[in-house]
């Protein structure tokens, strides 16, 4: 999985980390390299974050650089925009993606537009970290996947890692990027990959190659997808938690699918998508977010427009249902192995 | 069985039905205006606490009105900033220049040279006296009605007009609605159409300045109407929590387009009084009194610089003209309001002060107005060489796609190609 990384990364000693530890390490490393990086958010300071992503950072870097904030997402993002205008590189945390909406005006109208409307005089090199996605009995307001709201905004980049290795490298790249980045962390896989079989014992990252995280500094370029596994029967476009679910389903079905973890939704690695669909002739798009106007619709449209003459079957789209995220019926909502399996069968029949 | 309250099923005794209340301004078109209800204390009556005082000591100042210039044109009281005549003349000149600029640009819009303009008539003292009280490298997060700050800081009029005309010399490349200036070199943050968003941003900038151990402070301006936005609360909370070196200004000009200040809560309390609930120092100032505005901003800036924290200032004034070139105030308010406004005209009041000091005369003033009108006219001519809106002299086509991101991603490259193709289809001879 490290093919595209520089040689030095191959040689770097690795050890198993979970995604939270990898994120914490990315923050630690970038903060040590750049004194303009500051972290703020609810409970991120002394306590180290409700998911421990910022544990130890206040102690190490001081309250000037890592501090707790009032419970006010508009204020968190608005203040971050002002800090960025001053010349800092803020990395605010929104405790759950479900709670990013009070800050939406500041994100959409301000952070995303700052460079454009000032013709580059002011920029917003802000990285907004936020846990997202379901599969944890989070109910309506601790499970949402609102990425399509952000991919629709000109001027924002949206990044979603699927392994500790990628989380560290992508977060470092996001923080160093001079554009505002929404960095959604799939909290279902903070502690281990999830294959969609909610009734099986949970796994840790120890046995997974993506859990091997190189020591020290490295970054994974934004806008570059990762080929999870090569194949010729169909192309699977997927990101976040669903990478692992898709992998397990296709493995179990013995289908020789090519699985592409998009990693960055905007800007999208369109070359990787085109190359793969042109090879396989079939495409399956999977995400946890609701279906209508989800990011999958954009992927389906792009594949249809650009790979039409290579397609041997209608493009399939497996997503969450168009309902708010339910609590008790979580596994009926979640696009798990059965729903994905049906779509795979339809594609294989054609 | 439930053990809660027993429901009788009967009507609630003799209580009258609930009544819904919708505020209504005192005067509508055609009404006779009577401002006798407004409590306007004489100048010089308000005490000036130490800049390092506890925030709560400013409580009386949030409901009173700081005034320096009396009806006789003399400067009196503890808030008199004792500015030298030369500074007073410079402030007067910048106020007059701003008004001349507004008048000319308003006409330019009516002549079709641009799509839109917003005047600041009657509010010139606020932006200009504040600019004079700030250090030139303090950062301003303005609303769309603080053009006086940009003018006071020496930003070229030609650049402002280029922006208003969206011409080929517009620094913002024709992307922004007229008057949404951005001038980083002049400490003037890019103006957004979304109201009040700059308030928490100013607090963030001030927090950053404190984090870095800088000495610069931030200040921001919103109207009283926008103080109803959630961003106001966010800004006040963050400013208070982090003791941010910021001065937050609410320009209470009585009107938010057609809505009178009652729709922002003015019937119950002053806007300055909101500071108390956050534990922030608050001042309420006669916004048409340039000396009072200067003194209040100076007090708040000194306080911020000394790490004593943020201040909220309410500038009590009147929006003498329409909200914008797209607005006709005669449709919702009495035409007499501006004339009857008891705090008068800020330019006339400062002029009278200088005259009473023997440092200015009507003749000098008339001569200044003539010179300024000529200065604006010359700048307009200069800017028109770069084009006016819709006359083809704009920035190169591809610039529309630049600066969305630092670098052009593939999808914007493709869309830029498409736009240029469309252009060539419509005008085969077109070259850029």
């Amino acid at each position: 999985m490290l093919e595209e990384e520089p040689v030095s990364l191959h040689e770097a000693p690795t050890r198993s980390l979970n995604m939270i530890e990898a994120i914490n390490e990315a923050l630690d490393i970038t903060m040590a390299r750049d004194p303009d990086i500051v972290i703020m958010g609810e409970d991120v300071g002394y306590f180290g974050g409700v998911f421990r992503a910022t544990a130890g950072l206040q102690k190490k870097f001081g309250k000037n650089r890592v501090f707790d904030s009032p419970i006010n997402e508009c204020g968190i993002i608005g203040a971050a925009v002002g800090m960025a205008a001053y010349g800092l590189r803020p990395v605010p945390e929104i405790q759950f993606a479900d709670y990013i909406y009070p800050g939406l005006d500041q994100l959409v109208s301000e952070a995303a537009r700052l460079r454009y409307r000032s013709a580059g005089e002011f920029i917003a090199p802000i990285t907004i970290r936020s846990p997202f996605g379901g599969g944890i009995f989070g109910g309506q307001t601790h499970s949402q996947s609102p990425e399509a709201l952000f991919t629709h905004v000109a001027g924002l980049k949206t990044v979603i890692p699927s392994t500790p290795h990628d989380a560290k490298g992508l977060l470092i790249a996001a923080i160093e990027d001079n554009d505002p980045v929404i960095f959604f962390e799939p909290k279902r896989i903070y502690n281990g990959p999830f294959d969609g079989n909610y009734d099986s014992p949970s796994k840790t990252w120890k046995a997974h190659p993506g859990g091997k995280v190189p020591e020290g500094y490295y970054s994974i370029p934004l806008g570059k997808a990762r080929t999870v596994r090569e194949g010729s029967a169909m192309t699977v476009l997927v990101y976040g938690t669903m990478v692992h679910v898709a992998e397990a389903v296709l493995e179990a079905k013995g289908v020789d699918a090519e699985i592409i973890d998009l990693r960055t939704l905007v800007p999208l690695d369109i070359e990787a998508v085109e190359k793969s669909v042109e090879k396989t002739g079939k495409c399956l798009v999977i995400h946890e977010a609701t279906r209508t106007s989800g990011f999958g619709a954009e992927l389906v449209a792009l594949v249809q427009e650009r790979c039409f003459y290579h397609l041997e079957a209608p493009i399939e789209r497996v997503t969450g249902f168009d309902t708010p995220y339910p609590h008790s019926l979580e596994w009926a909502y979640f696009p798990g192995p059965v729903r994905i399996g049906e779509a795979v069968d339809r594609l294989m029949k054609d | 069985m439930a053990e809660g309250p027993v429901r009788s099923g009967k009507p609630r005794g003799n209580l009258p039905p609930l009544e819904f209340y919708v505020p209504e301004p005192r005067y509508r078109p055609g009404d006779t205006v009577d401002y006798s209800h407004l409590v306007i204390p004489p100048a010089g009556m308000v005490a000036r606490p130490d800049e390092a005082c506890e925030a709560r000591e400013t409580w009386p100042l949030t409901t009173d009105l700081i005034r320096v210039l009396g009806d006789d044109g003399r400067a009196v009281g503890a808030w008199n900033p004792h500015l030298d005549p030369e500074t007073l003349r410079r402030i007067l000149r910048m106020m007059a220049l701003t008004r001349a600029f507004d008048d000319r640009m308003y006409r330019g819009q009516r002549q079709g040279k641009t799509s839109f303009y917003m005047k600041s008539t009657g509010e010139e003292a606020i932006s200009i006296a504040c600019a004079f009280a700030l250090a030139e490298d303090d950062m301003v997060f303005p609303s769309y009605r603080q053009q006086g700050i940009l003018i006071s800081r020496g930003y070229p009029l030609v650049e402002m007009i280029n922006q208003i005309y969206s011409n080929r010399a517009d620094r913002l490349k024709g992307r922004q609605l007229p008057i949404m200036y951005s001038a980083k070199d002049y400490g003037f943050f890019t103006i957004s159409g979304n109201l009040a968003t700059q308030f928490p941003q100013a607090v963030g900038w001030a927090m950053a300045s404190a984090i870095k151990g800088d000495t610069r402070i931030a200040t921001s301006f919103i109207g009283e109407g926008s103080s109803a936005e959630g961003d106001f609360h966010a800004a006040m909370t963050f400013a208070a929590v982090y003791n941010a070196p910021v001065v937050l200004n609410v320009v209470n000009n009585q009107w938010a387009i057609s809505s009178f200040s009652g729709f922002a809560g003015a019937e119950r309390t002053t806007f300055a009084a909101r500071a108390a609930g956050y534990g922030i120092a608050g001042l309420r100032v006669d916004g048409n009194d340039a000396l009072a505005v200067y003194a209040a901003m100076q007090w708040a800036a000194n306080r911020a610089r000394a790490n004593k924290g943020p201040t909220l200032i309410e500038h009590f004034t009147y929006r003498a003209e329409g909200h914008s070139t797209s607005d006709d105030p005669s449709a919702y308010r009495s035409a007499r309001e501006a004339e009857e406004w008891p705090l008068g005209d800020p330019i006339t009041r400062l002029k009278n002060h200088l005259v009473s000091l023997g440092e200015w005369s009507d003749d000098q003033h008339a001569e200044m107005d003539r010179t300024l009108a000529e200065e604006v006219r010359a700048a307009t001519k200069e800017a028109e060489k770069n084009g006016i809106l819709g006359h083809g002299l704009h920035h190169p086509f591809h610039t529309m796609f630049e600066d969305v991101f630092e670098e052009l991603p593939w999808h914007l490259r493709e869309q830029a190609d498409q736009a240029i193709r469309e252009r060539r289809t419509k005008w085969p001879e077109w070259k850029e």
Side-chain angles (χ1 to χ4, degrees), chain B residues 176-194:
Chain B
Q176 275 276 60
L177 191 70
I179 70 144
M180 304 284 183
Y181 312 105
S182 179
K184 191 177 186 184
D185 299 347
Y186 293 78
F188 196 86
F189 186 70
T190 162
I191 297 173
S192 170
N194 294 64

Side-chain angles (χ1 to χ4, degrees), chain A residues 13 17 33 51 57 60 65 119-120 128 132 155 177 184 201 223 234 244 258 261 280 294 320 337 339:
Chain A
L17 296 182
R33 288 166 66 96
F51 290 104
L57 297 177
K60 182 166 175 185
R65 298 192 55 200
I128 292 152
F132 97 127
D177 196 280
F184 279 139
M234 68 178 68
H244 304 282
E258 181 146 293
D261 174 2
T280 64
R339 200 174 308 156

